[in-house]
């Protein structure tokens, strides 16, 4: 099993990797399918199912599909051009993904939110169609947005895994990862780097990871500098990170601050990222948008507040975190619509705890223990966003996930790596708990806080 660090950490846009980025990616794939047809499509349509239908408006799924059909991609998103494009589509009832390529598309008629039963493959399903001049469907594909911006077709979802080129350390479980580390004498990050080098050069790997961290860091800074505006969506949630950060800076020179104020520094950075995400800004999936604040907040805490931290080791942090995230995705899920928030913030906290432990000098066994502690104490967490928006409880939940990650890394470093619950058992428990969890608590806005908190 090989999942690249650049699959776990992808530059994209808010507010949701599975509900915004995934549908945009699916639309881009469908455009490529239409381009390969022997005949020319006249129009396009889209139908959203499951969680995409129930919470799609709050997650900008409709905008993402329309813009994806217009040629936009998450990693090169231009917000100003997007607004101009949407205005043109409303006027002209056409999408134009490229010069010389144009399809009829009426957003009011050709984009349907189907709130009936979900499609069988996944809670996040969408069907894209190409039509002829009479409006008859001549091409159709079903896509599933499976979390973290990953997208598969219906055929791919049910097919055996595609054979991959071999890597030197093909661990599919945490137990195998630890055995390979013991046999090789390498750290988890070093094994992950060796695997990545079968796909890319050291120079490109390092440049790519530097960009990932730069986008993360810039996102923190934008969120901390933003005024206390009301976030979009109608909940009237105000940004808080900027005011909190200003207060923390004002208090920094005082000698009477309580030691636990460090938690506020960790929290405010995570909140800054997820406020940017809620506003539709540029973020990095880590491993999802809904959990995008945890890893960057822990990394910034390490770089800014831990003695001896060095930017030269950012890659080590990211590679270790990606190894853990890959195990969760491969053996359970990173999708809130599939397994609840334990699969998103829980996975992110495990990734951040592992990365922090690694750069603080942990053994592979201590790294695995840090990840397990963080994940274990998110098990059972539901995904019940109020009004379907990635705001309440998501923004604060990232803050607490980051604080838990730091605590988990610290606890693991106080031990020798031996512990009762293996990370593999914790990941399997996540999978089983997600399977047992009522669909009401899996990103549908039909249960939990979403129905018990007034959303207007």
């Amino acid at each position: 099993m090989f999942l690249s660090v650049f699959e776990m950490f992808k530059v994209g846009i808010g507010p949701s990797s599975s509900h915004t980025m995934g549908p945009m990616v699916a639309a881009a794939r469908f455009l490529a399918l239409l381009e390969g047809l022997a005949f020319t499509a006249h129009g396009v349509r889209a139908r959203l199912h499951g969680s995409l239908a129930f919470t799609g408006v709050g997650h900008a799924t409709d905008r993402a599909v329309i813009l994806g059909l217009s040629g936009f991609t998450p990693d090169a998103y231009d917000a100003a051009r997007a607004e101009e494009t949407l205005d043109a589509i409303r006027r002209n009832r056409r999408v134009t993904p490229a010069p010389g390529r144009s399809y009829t598309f009426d957003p009011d008629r050709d984009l349907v939110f189907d709130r009936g039963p979900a499609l069988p493959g996944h809670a996040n399903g969408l069907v894209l169609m190409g039509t002829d001049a009479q409006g008859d469907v001549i091409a159709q594909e079903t896509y599933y947005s499976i979390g973290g911006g990953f997208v598969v077709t219906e055929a791919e979802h049910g097919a055996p895994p595609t054979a991959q080129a071999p890597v030197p350390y093909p661990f599919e479980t945490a137990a195998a990862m630890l055995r390979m580390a013991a046999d090789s004498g390498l750290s988890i990050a070093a094994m992950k780097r060796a695997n990545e080098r079968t796909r890319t050069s050291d120079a490109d790997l390092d440049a790519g990871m530097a960009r990932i961290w730069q986008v993360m860091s810039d996102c923190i800074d934008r969120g901390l500098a933003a005024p206390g505006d009301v976030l979009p969506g109608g909940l009237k949630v105000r940004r808080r990170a900027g005011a909190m950060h200003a207060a923390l800076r004002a208090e920094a020179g005082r000698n009477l601050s309580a030691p636990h104020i460090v938690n506020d520094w960790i929290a405010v950075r995570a909140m800054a990222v997820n406020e940017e995400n809620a506003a539709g800004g540029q973020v990095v999936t880590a491993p999802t948008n809904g959990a995008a604040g945890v890893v960057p907040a822990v990394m910034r805490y390490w770089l800014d507040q831990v003695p001896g931290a060095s930017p030269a080791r950012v890659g080590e942090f990211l590679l270790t975190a990606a190894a853990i995230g890959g195990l969760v995705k491969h053996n359970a899920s990173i999708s809130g619509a599939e397994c609840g928030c334990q699969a998103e913030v829980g996975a992110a906290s495990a990734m951040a705890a592992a990365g922090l432990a690694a750069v603080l000098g942990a053994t592979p066994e201590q790294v695995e223990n840090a990840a397990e502690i963080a994940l274990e104490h998110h098990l059972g967490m539901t995904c019940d966003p109020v009004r379907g928006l990635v705001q309440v409880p998501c923004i604060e939940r990232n803050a607490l996930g980051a604080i838990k990650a730091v605590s988990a890394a610290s606890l693991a470093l106080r031990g020798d790596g031996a512990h009762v619950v293996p990370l593999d058992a914790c990941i399997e428990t996540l999978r089983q708990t997600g399977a047992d969890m009522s669909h009401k608590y899996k990103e549908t806005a039909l249960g939990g806080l979403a129905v018990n908190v007034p959303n207007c």
Side-chain angles (χ1 to χ4, degrees):
M1 183 274 297
F2 175 77
L3 283 169
S4 173
V5 64
F6 302 122
E7 293 180 281
M8 300 310 300
F9 298 112
K10 296 190 286 290
V11 176
I13 57 167
S16 171
S17 49
S18 56
H19 288 61
T20 315
M21 287 176 60
M24 188 178 286
V25 170
R29 290 188 63 178
F30 188 66
L31 288 176
L33 184 154
L34 292 181
E35 186 71 6
L37 294 176
F39 38 85
T40 302
H42 179 77
V44 289
R45 296 178 190 162
R47 192 170 67 245
L48 308 178
H49 293 265
S51 182
L52 295 184
F54 282 108
T55 62
V57 173
H59 292 167
T61 306
D62 47 350
R63 289 168 52 93
V65 171
I66 296 168
L67 291 170
L69 291 172
S70 302
F72 283 72
T73 58
D75 60 336
Y77 182 76
D78 182 324
R81 189 167 69 87
E83 295 307 318
E84 294 172 359
T85 300
L86 289 168
D87 286 342
I89 292 168
R90 294 186 193 102
R91 291 194 310 269
N92 304 325
R93 301 293 192 259
R94 299 190 71 83
V95 291
T96 306
R101 293 181 64 195
S102 183
Y103 306 102
T104 61
F105 181 83
D106 183 343
D108 298 326
R109 181 194 65 200
D110 295 325
L111 179 60
V112 176
F113 290 81
D114 188 332
R115 295 181 175 86
L119 297 177
H122 193 276
N124 295 328
L126 66 157
V127 179
L128 299 177
M129 294 159 276
T131 61
D132 62 17
Q134 287 72 45
D136 295 327
V137 175
I138 57 174
Q140 178 172 307
E141 184 61 89
T142 298
Y143 297 93
Y144 294 114
S145 181
I146 60 175
F150 290 89
V151 172
V152 294
T153 66
E154 189 165 42
E156 291 166 346
H157 187 68
T162 304
Q164 294 180 317
V167 294
Y169 303 101
F171 51 85
E172 296 191 9
T173 65
M177 179 180 73
L178 292 179
R179 285 196 303 272
M180 292 179 190
D183 292 343
S184 66
L186 297 176
S187 68
I188 293 169
M191 292 192 299
K192 182 68 175 159
R193 174 175 285 274
N195 289 347
E196 296 283 347
R197 289 184 61 204
T198 65
R199 300 333 197 244
T200 189
S201 67
D202 270 322
D204 287 345
L205 176 61
D206 289 334
M209 290 192 294
R211 182 188 180 231
I212 290 296
W213 170 238
Q214 189 63 58
V215 175
M216 287 179 168
S217 184
D218 289 348
C219 185
I220 292 174
D221 292 339
R222 286 196 311 275
L224 294 178
D229 296 337
V230 172
L231 292 168
L235 265 187
K236 300 180 181 179
V237 172
R238 286 194 174 274
R239 288 179 182 253
R240 291 182 287 161
M244 285 178 60
H245 186 241
L248 286 168
R249 291 183 65 186
E251 296 167 10
R254 303 175 187 173
N255 295 323
L256 298 178
S257 296
H260 66 250
I261 202 169
V262 70
N263 286 338
D264 296 346
W265 281 99
I266 297 167
V268 75
R269 292 156 181 154
M271 292 173 66
V273 171
N274 283 83
E275 287 175 355
E276 279 293 292
N277 179 63
Q282 186 181 60
V283 299
V284 175
T285 63
T288 67
N289 282 28
V294 177
V295 170
V298 174
M299 291 181 72
R300 181 65 77 82
Y301 158 74
W302 164 62
L303 287 168
D304 288 1
Q305 293 171 275
V306 176
S310 169
R313 300 185 70 188
V314 160
E316 182 180 351
F317 192 120
L318 290 174
L319 288 167
T320 306
I324 299 302
L327 293 176
V328 177
K329 183 182 186 309
H330 180 66
N331 294 301
S333 175
I334 57 170
S335 168
E338 190 171 31
C339 286
C341 197
Q342 59 174 350
E344 295 204 28
V345 171
S349 189
M351 292 166 65
L356 179 60
V359 296
L360 293 180
T363 65
E365 290 77 15
Q366 290 172 317
V367 168
E368 185 260 2
N369 189 16
E372 185 278 326
I373 293 170
L375 183 58
E376 180 181 355
H377 298 290
H378 284 88
L379 290 177
M381 185 175 284
T382 59
C383 183
D384 52 352
V386 178
R387 206 169 186 171
L389 300 168
V390 193
Q391 296 177 16
V392 178
C394 318
I395 294 170
E396 288 180 354
R397 190 166 282 178
N398 274 258
L400 273 294
I403 291 168
K404 283 186 183 181
V406 174
S407 297
S410 185
L411 281 173
L413 284 161
R414 295 291 181 182
D416 60 4
H419 53 106
V420 174
V421 180
L423 177 58
D424 289 329
C426 199
I427 292 173
E428 173 59 15
T429 303
L430 185 160
R431 187 194 66 78
Q432 292 177 6
T433 304
D436 291 340
M437 189 181 292
S438 168
H439 78 283
K440 293 189 299 183
Y441 304 113
K442 293 192 284 191
E443 211 167 358
T444 59
L446 296 175
L449 290 175
V451 298
N452 288 311
V453 174
N455 59 23
C456 61

